Amino acid sequence: MNFSFPCLLIYFLSLIYSTIPDDVDRVALLAIKSQISDDPHGILNSWNHSLPVCQWYGVTCGTRHPDRVVSIRLVSKDLVGTVSPYVGNLSFLHHFYLTNNTFTGHIPSQIGHLLRLRYLGLENNTFEGEIPANISNCINLKGLGLAGNHLFGAIPHQLGLLSKLEVLTIHKNRLTGDLINSVIINMTSLQRLSASYNYFQGSIPNNIGATLKNLTFFSVGDNKISGTIPPSFYNLSHLQVFDISINRFEGILPLDIGFRFPRLTIFSIGENFFHGNLPSSLSNLTQLVELSVYSNNFTGKIMFSAGSMPNLLYFDVSFNYLGIGEADDLSFLQTLINCSHLQLLQCSSNNFGGILPESLGNLTTELTELEFGQNQISGNIPRGLFNLIHLKRLNLEQNQLTGHLSPLIGIKVTELQAFNCRKNNLIGNIPYSLGNLSWLSWLYLGHNKFEGMIPTSLGNCTNLLYLSLTHNNLNGALSPHLFHASMLIELNLHQNRLQGVIPVEITQLSNLVALDISENAFSGELPTSLSGCTSLVSLSMGGNLFSGNIPQSFKSLTSLSFLNLSNNRLYGVIPDFLARFSLMALDLSFNNFEGEVPRIGVFSNYTALKILRNNKLCGGIPELHLPRCHNNTTETESKRTGRLSVAVTVIIVVASLIVGVSTMSLVYFLLCFRRKQNKLSQISSFNLKEPFFKVSYAMLLKATDRFSQANLLGAGRFGCVYKGVLDPESSMVVAVKVINLEEEAATKSFMAECETLRNIRHRNLLKIVTACSSADFQGNEFKALVYEFMPNGNLQQWIHIDHHHRPLSLLQRVNIAIDVASALDYLHNSCQVPIIHCDLKPSNILLDADMVANVGDFGLARFYSHTIANNSSSVAVKGTVGYAAPEYGLGSMVSKEGDIYSYGIVLIEMMTAKSPIDTMFEGDLDLHKYAKSAALSDHIDPTLLDDGVSASNKIDRKLGCIKSVIEIGVKCSVESPQDRMRIEDVIEELQITRDVLNELDVTGIMQSKK
């Protein structure tokens, strides 16, 4: 046995201590007690001088050395505190267990002094920091338990010296590095490895089967380990648990895998990239308890049998490409009848065809979850299925099921908590028996052909949280009894034939967050009783027959973010309180509203507001093109207004044609550049240029605190952006852009942004962490982009100062201008195919912690080529009013010069703090002409010179710099595209200006020192 000098020294010291009475151990234990700040059960009261150490609670002394402590066991006692370094003085300690408490701080390195230590159990506490490397000195260690803490960093490679270690549990931490190759492969006695829920990388080494021959438990799920499973791994014939789920493994499974692992109880390889067929030899896994291969790329029919797996509890093959759409695809279900303990059967999101067999009813009644959603299954729902009386979750969505929904669902099956059969072809009435499901929380029956009235019995489902009956043929009035289900969070009755007034009992739904009753035939006035639903975030009542005013009682709905009252018969003025709401989208189109449109709140956001076909409205922001509000209008003014109205009408018609053709061109373009997409899966990621995180809806939901209002950063036409913490290891803060799929062009924008970001990487371009195309918990399509978080917001907020920001200095603005110009130079001149941003504006320029500018939002970006540029039928996307080049409005193609124009407007805005859509710009006057013609002192941002310096020469030179930047902006935004500056020249001139400003700063510092 080899010892290092420190080990030998510690060993000899321990021999010396062995001759000392128990005073050493007493002192050490009292030091440990002193670091415990909370002992709610008083278990350490016995740790005092009145009792011998060996009689203290949780303390055991040895037989060979009866005065020396060999074991401390303080498990699940709610202790709070830190571990004293004096623990290193307990030189005879063999066992040390502090599991299931709340110990904090670092693991003391002095544990490395315990040469006799065999078992160290610190699981389920809140230890932080790195694992001490000198634990490797504990050469007799057989069990090391550090799971369920906040440990981070790489596992010290020295731990590989623990040649006697049999059990290592380090799951649920924040550990990184190449665990298996650098550490585990050297632990030749290892039997159990539990390392899931960390951030380990690397691969499984080729010689693992020859080195870790005793391995029985191998769990590394939810990490970032990649590569294939080496052939030698399948020589580990003693293996009982094999969990590598949620990693980046690939390859195929060997045909004889079932014979290689005859003792396997858990086989979990979900959420990886395995492909090929599932081997028929899996039938030989007779001791299997869990078979989990979800979210891979497996294909073909399931040929193995589960008939010899009597202990099987979980069977999950969902989110693959299994089945070939044939009638016998589900024949394997017959073999599950012998699995008398089966609880979960997951077969969703595959290619299974055929019908659900009547033999489903012969499965064990212990089954609680049954999922066949998103397949090609046809026929009726078999009556035998309702023999599964303990079902709690039943998912049959997105198939081709026909026929009626049997009332047995609420008569024999009464424990359901979630039922989803949306997007099928079910007919008839919704069974009244559903009201017997007292535990029901989720009910999704949308996109079928149900008819008749909504059963009043649903009001008996007092635990119902989500109810969606959208896109059916339901009719009649709403029963007040329906609203007895007062726990409802979401109620979606969109697109049916419902009618009558909304019962006042709707006020009972105080937890309601989303209500959609649009596209029905409801009538009467808007219900004032809705004012009791104060948690409402989304309210959609469009496409009905509502009349009257928007009631003043709606002012209590202060949580609203989305409001749609379009296509009704509403009239009167738009209430002022709507302008004070934090609305992200408001649609009042196709009504009879009149009077002045507010200019604040959502009414100041052109892309978030829809007020079409309300012919008596006036005022509002200029983009709305509404007539001015006048009390007395002269005949001359009336004529002028008439002429303007005709002109505006012509412009709107022409613009509509342009946008229409442009949209068609964009669709064609995206079809040409879009990569072939995989089938929508619950957890999938776009394969961008870098190895991005693989995220799911659940991860993003957690990262953003369920997309809470507190984390909302902003909203636009195509979606909302939330702040979130995605990576607990590094507390990675990200910005999550959730795509609004109800907006027709949103998916196209999402794909355009993904295609663009796939091809670019630059210091001044917003970095993407990942793109996610997924499904939410209800199976609804969900798309999101996850970006690096920019803690200093966007340039818009800094130019037009709010109370959160201090003014930007001139030097800061010039640096930002250079950053943006560098990004454009890269897009236009350094990409393999030039990229045109098409929507450059201050709100799309983000600032990181160091105030470095990053250009973001590539939802309208276009790849530029001579083929597209010369195609006269391909009309450009317009971009944003005020920043889009004037030639775009005339049908010109996208071009580099168009981005240069937008950049010039941004430059002028940075120097003047004037927006191009400011109300001062009327008629022929715009920001470009204003900057070109006005006196310098009249139009610069006054904060640029407010630096407390009065030296006239310095002010003059700063004014010269400001003038230089404005002149560059003017040259970039001239009307003729060919006369605009080249971006390379812009960068050169701005760098000269920056040098002057840096010189001024240095001079100012030297003068202040004098």
Side-chain angles (χ1 to χ4, degrees):
M1 185 178 297
N2 294 323
F3 290 94
S4 63
F5 177 75
C7 290
L8 288 172
L9 178 60
I10 294 170
Y11 180 73
F12 286 125
L13 287 174
S14 68
L15 292 179
I16 295 172
Y17 276 124
S18 68
T19 63
I20 303 176
D22 71 347
D23 288 349
V24 173
D25 290 354
R26 181 185 296 271
V27 171
L29 290 175
L30 291 176
I32 292 172
K33 178 182 179 180
S34 70
Q35 296 294 103
I36 296 177
S37 57
D38 191 13
D39 175 15
H41 307 296
I43 65 165
L44 300 184
N45 291 343
S46 61
W47 289 31
N48 58 59
H49 292 285
S50 63
L51 291 174
V53 165
C54 299
Q55 295 181 24
W56 291 4
Y57 182 90
V59 175
T60 304
C61 293
T63 53
R64 292 179 58 191
H65 303 282
D67 295 329
R68 304 311 301 267
V69 174
V70 297
S71 173
I72 298 175
R73 185 178 182 88
L74 303 173
V75 175
S76 302
K77 300 303 179 183
D78 299 319
L79 298 174
V80 179
T82 60
V83 177
S84 169
Y86 274 83
V87 69
N89 291 345
L90 298 170
S91 55
F92 279 78
L93 200 62
H94 289 179
H95 300 77
F96 186 35
Y97 294 107
L98 299 179
T99 308
N100 297 333
N101 286 289
T102 312
F103 283 97
T104 61
H106 290 65
I107 297 173
S109 60
Q110 288 79 1
I111 286 180
H113 298 169
L114 305 176
L115 302 186
R116 291 181 171 89
L117 194 64
R118 296 173 186 173
Y119 296 95
L120 175 61
L122 305 180
E123 297 102 325
N124 299 330
N125 283 281
T126 53
F127 288 111
E128 57 189 23
E130 297 184 344
I131 298 174
N134 62 355
I135 288 182
S136 61
N137 295 334
C138 304
I139 56 175
N140 291 300
L141 207 59
K142 291 185 176 182
L144 176 58
L146 305 176
N149 283 287
H150 298 161
L151 302 172
F152 57 80
I155 300 283
H157 67 87
Q158 293 93 331
L159 293 193
L161 300 174
L162 298 175
S163 59
K164 296 182 180 179
L165 196 68
E166 298 175 353
V167 178
L168 176 61
T169 60
I170 49 177
H171 57 266
K172 292 186 179 179
N173 278 288
R174 303 171 183 175
L175 299 167
T176 59
D178 188 347
L179 169 70
I180 305 174
N181 280 284
S182 64
V183 181
I184 300 302
I185 197 65
N186 297 316
M187 296 178 173
T188 54
S189 298
L190 196 63
Q191 298 177 19
R192 295 174 60 87
L193 171 64
S194 181
S196 297
Y197 304 103
N198 281 287
Y199 301 93
F200 293 123
Q201 298 176 332
S203 60
I204 298 179
N206 291 330
N207 62 337
I208 189 170
T211 306
L212 305 182
K213 295 180 180 179
N214 300 314
L215 205 60
T216 62
F217 189 106
F218 185 77
S219 176
V220 295
D222 207 338
N223 281 286
K224 302 175 183 178
I225 306 172
S226 58
T228 59
I229 307 298
S232 74
F233 189 90
Y234 297 105
N235 294 331
L236 301 173
S237 58
H238 298 290
L239 202 64
Q240 298 174 20
V241 172
F242 181 41
D243 178 10
I244 58 171
S245 58
I246 318 179
N247 277 287
R248 300 170 182 175
F249 290 106
E250 57 187 353
I252 61 174
L253 300 179
L255 296 178
D256 60 349
I257 186 173
F259 300 104
R260 296 294 193 98
F261 297 146
R263 303 179 184 181
L264 207 61
T265 60
I266 293 178
F267 183 55
S268 180
I269 62 172
E271 275 192 60
N272 281 287
F273 300 99
F274 291 105
H275 63 277
N277 296 333
L278 291 174
S280 59
S281 67
L282 291 173
S283 305
N284 195 56
L285 301 178
T286 57
Q287 299 183 40
L288 205 61
V289 173
E290 177 180 342
L291 174 65
S292 183
V293 299
Y294 68 94
S295 292
N296 279 285
N297 298 313
F298 290 116
T299 55
K301 294 186 177 183
I302 293 181
M303 304 302 294
F304 66 88
S305 170
S308 57
M309 302 176 184
N311 300 317
L312 194 64
L313 293 178
Y314 306 109
F315 183 95
D316 190 348
V317 296
S318 58
F319 295 96
N320 280 285
Y321 299 92
L322 295 167
I324 56 176
E326 292 187 350
D328 62 343
D329 280 349
L330 297 176
S331 59
F332 69 91
L333 294 176
Q334 181 68 29
T335 69
L336 292 169
I337 292 175
N338 294 334
C339 303
S340 58
H341 301 292
L342 191 65
Q343 295 180 11
L344 181 147
L345 176 55
Q346 295 264 20
C347 299
S348 292
S349 298
N350 279 287
N351 295 322
F352 292 127
I355 63 172
L356 292 174
E358 191 68 32
S359 60
L360 272 180
N362 297 327
L363 295 177
T364 175
T365 57
E366 291 189 23
L367 197 67
T368 60
E369 294 191 27
L370 181 63
E371 303 213 8
F372 285 97
Q374 300 178 38
N375 280 287
Q376 303 174 37
I377 301 171
S378 56
N380 296 339
I381 300 174
R383 291 175 62 88
L385 184 150
F386 302 107
N387 293 334
L388 307 176
I389 58 174
H390 294 303
L391 275 182
K392 291 180 172 55
R393 185 180 181 91
L394 176 60
N395 181 4
L396 304 173
E397 67 164 334
Q398 284 187 250
N399 279 288
Q400 301 159 23
L401 297 172
T402 55
H404 293 75
L405 181 58
S406 171
L408 292 176
I409 192 170
I411 297 175
K412 296 185 68 174
V413 179
T414 60
E415 299 177 15
L416 269 183
Q417 298 174 10
F419 178 45
N420 186 350
C421 66
R422 71 187 189 103
K423 294 190 177 181
N424 281 286
N425 296 304
L426 299 174
I427 61 174
N429 294 334
I430 296 174
Y432 193 86
S433 59
L434 286 174
N436 297 331
L437 301 175
S438 58
W439 294 103
L440 192 64
S441 295
W442 292 270
L443 178 60
Y444 295 96
L445 305 179
H447 296 270
N448 280 286
K449 299 176 182 178
F450 289 116
E451 57 189 16
M453 298 182 66
I454 298 174
T456 59
S457 63
L458 289 179
N460 299 333
C461 302
T462 54
N463 288 295
L464 196 58
L465 301 177
Y466 300 92
L467 174 61
S468 178
L469 307 176
T470 179
H471 288 83
N472 280 291
N473 298 317
L474 301 171
N475 55 43
L478 293 182
S479 168
H481 191 72
L482 176 65
F483 303 118
H484 289 180
S486 58
M487 297 292 290
L488 273 173
I489 294 174
E490 178 183 328
L491 176 60
N492 190 346
L493 306 177
H494 171 69
Q495 200 165 329
N496 279 283
R497 299 176 182 176
L498 301 168
Q499 59 193 37
V501 298
I502 306 298
V504 296
E505 285 79 4
I506 197 171
T507 193
Q508 298 171 187
L509 305 183
S510 58
N511 298 310
L512 198 63
V513 172
L515 173 64
D516 190 346
I517 58 173
S518 58
E519 306 299 326
N520 281 285
F522 291 114
S523 58
E525 296 189 345
L526 295 176
T528 58
S529 53
L530 267 176
S531 60
C533 304
T534 54
S535 298
L536 270 175
V537 173
S538 177
L539 175 59
S540 297
M541 305 179 74
N544 282 287
L545 304 173
F546 289 116
S547 59
N549 296 281
I550 298 176
Q552 284 295 311
S553 61
F554 273 28
K555 69 173 60 175
S556 64
L557 304 179
T558 55
S559 297
L560 274 182
S561 294
F562 304 92
L563 176 61
N564 182 355
L565 300 176
S566 64
N567 289 279
N568 279 288
R569 301 172 180 176
L570 302 172
Y571 54 79
V573 297
I574 298 173
D576 292 337
F577 60 77
L578 290 179
R580 297 192 295 270
F581 286 180
S582 299
L583 287 169
M584 301 178 198
L586 173 64
D587 191 351
L588 303 177
S589 301
F590 296 92
N591 280 288
N592 298 305
F593 290 113
E594 60 186 55
E596 185 170 7
V597 176
R599 289 172 172 262
I600 61 174
V602 69
F603 297 96
S604 66
N605 186 348
Y606 176 68
T607 60
L609 177 66
K610 296 180 181 179
I611 56 170
L612 297 173
R613 296 292 294 273
N614 286 277
N615 298 327
K616 297 180 183 179
L617 290 176
C618 62
I621 59 177
E623 295 91 337
L624 298 177
H625 302 292
L626 295 175
R628 291 185 179 182
C629 298
H630 292 296
N631 293 326
N632 297 304
T633 306
T634 64
E635 183 178 352
T636 303
E637 290 173 332
S638 298
K639 291 179 180 178
R640 180 173 62 83
T641 303
R643 289 196 297 271
L644 285 174
S645 298
V646 172
V648 169
T649 302
V650 171
I651 291 172
I652 291 174
V653 171
V654 173
S656 299
L657 288 173
I658 291 172
V659 172
V661 176
S662 174
T663 301
M664 293 172 62
S665 302
L666 180 59
V667 173
Y668 173 79
F669 171 78
L670 290 175
L671 287 174
C672 293
F673 280 86
R674 182 181 298 176
R675 298 176 64 186
K676 183 179 180 182
Q677 300 179 55
N678 290 331
K679 173 186 174 183
L680 179 67
S681 66
Q682 188 175 18
I683 302 174
S684 64
S685 295
F686 281 84
N687 183 20
L688 301 178
K689 193 171 182 180
E690 301 289 332
F692 293 106
F693 287 114
K694 191 175 187 182
V695 299
S696 66
Y697 172 80
M699 292 169 65
L700 295 181
L701 194 70
K702 181 178 179 181
T704 59
D705 192 18
R706 304 186 69 82
F707 303 114
S708 70
Q709 187 76 14
N711 285 328
L712 181 68
L713 298 175
R717 176 186 174 193
F718 294 147
C720 302
V721 182
Y722 297 85
K723 180 180 178 182
V725 180
L726 186 61
D727 186 354
E729 170 200 1
S730 58
S731 298
M732 178 190 290
V733 182
V734 294
V736 182
K737 181 179 181 180
V738 179
I739 308 301
N740 176 18
L741 296 178
E742 294 183 0
E743 180 67 40
E744 289 184 1
T747 299
K748 302 167 190 173
S749 172
F750 174 77
M751 293 304 302
E753 195 151 11
C754 288
E755 287 292 339
T756 304
L757 292 169
R758 189 199 318 275
N759 293 276
I760 59 175
R761 282 291 179 274
H762 188 267
R763 173 178 181 267
N764 299 120
L765 292 170
L766 186 61
K767 287 77 177 173
I768 185 171
V769 175
T770 190
C772 170
S773 181
S774 165
D776 65 18
F777 292 145
Q778 288 78 49
N780 300 311
E781 189 176 3
F782 173 83
K783 295 182 185 296
L785 289 162
V786 184
Y787 302 98
E788 181 181 4
F789 178 68
M790 296 287 111
N792 277 314
N794 62 58
L795 183 59
Q796 174 83 14
Q797 299 164 321
W798 286 85
I799 297 176
H800 306 286
I801 303 169
D802 60 30
H803 66 280
H804 295 296
H805 297 97
R806 63 187 184 279
L808 288 171
S809 70
L810 179 57
L811 180 58
Q812 285 178 311
R813 298 186 202 209
V814 171
N815 280 328
I816 290 170
I818 293 173
D819 289 341
V820 177
S822 299
L824 285 184
D825 183 34
Y826 172 81
L827 292 173
H828 293 173
N829 303 317
S830 298
C831 295
Q832 186 173 4
V833 178
I835 296 172
I836 314 301
H837 187 277
C838 293
D839 199 21
L840 189 66
K841 55 186 177 181
S843 61
N844 286 340
I845 298 170
L846 293 307
L847 303 172
D848 69 13
D850 298 318
M851 297 300 288
V852 174
N854 290 253
V855 175
D857 197 344
F858 289 82
L860 298 180
R862 301 285 297 274
F863 291 95
Y864 180 85
S865 69
H866 293 294
T867 303
I868 294 177
N870 295 328
N871 185 351
S872 60
S873 67
S874 179
V875 183
V877 177
K878 186 176 181 182
T880 300
V881 174
Y883 300 94
E887 66 267 22
Y888 285 3
L890 300 175
S892 295
M893 302 305 104
V894 295
S895 65
K896 299 177 183 179
E897 291 76 19
D899 277 356
I900 298 297
Y901 178 91
S902 303
Y903 176 79
I905 296 299
V906 171
L907 270 187
I908 297 172
E909 188 173 357
M910 289 173 68
M911 295 296 110
T912 64
K914 292 287 191 299
S915 168
I917 59 172
D918 195 291
T919 54
M920 68 177 291
F921 299 125
E922 298 177 344
D924 292 331
L925 181 62
D926 58 22
L927 184 58
H928 168 85
K929 294 176 181 176
Y930 174 76
K932 185 177 180 180
S933 62
L936 182 64
S937 58
D938 292 336
H939 65 243
I940 67 170
D941 182 353
T943 64
L944 288 176
L945 296 176
D946 187 18
D947 58 1
V949 177
S950 59
S952 60
N953 63 333
K954 185 174 181 181
I955 293 176
D956 289 342
R957 293 185 71 183
K958 288 190 74 172
L959 282 171
C961 292
I962 295 170
K963 181 179 179 181
S964 176
V965 175
I966 291 177
E967 286 177 350
I968 294 171
V970 169
K971 291 177 183 178
C972 288
S973 57
V974 295
E975 185 171 355
S976 174
Q978 60 267 28
D979 293 335
R980 294 170 192 159
M981 288 185 71
R982 296 190 315 146
I983 197 64
E984 302 95 318
D985 297 333
V986 169
I987 295 173
E988 184 177 348
E989 290 197 23
L990 286 174
Q991 286 174 337
I992 293 173
T993 302
R994 180 173 62 183
D995 291 340
V996 173
L997 290 172
N998 282 327
E999 182 183 343
L1000 286 175
D1001 278 358
V1002 171
T1003 304
I1005 293 171
M1006 293 178 66
Q1007 290 177 347
S1008 66
K1009 287 183 177 180
K1010 292 179 180 179

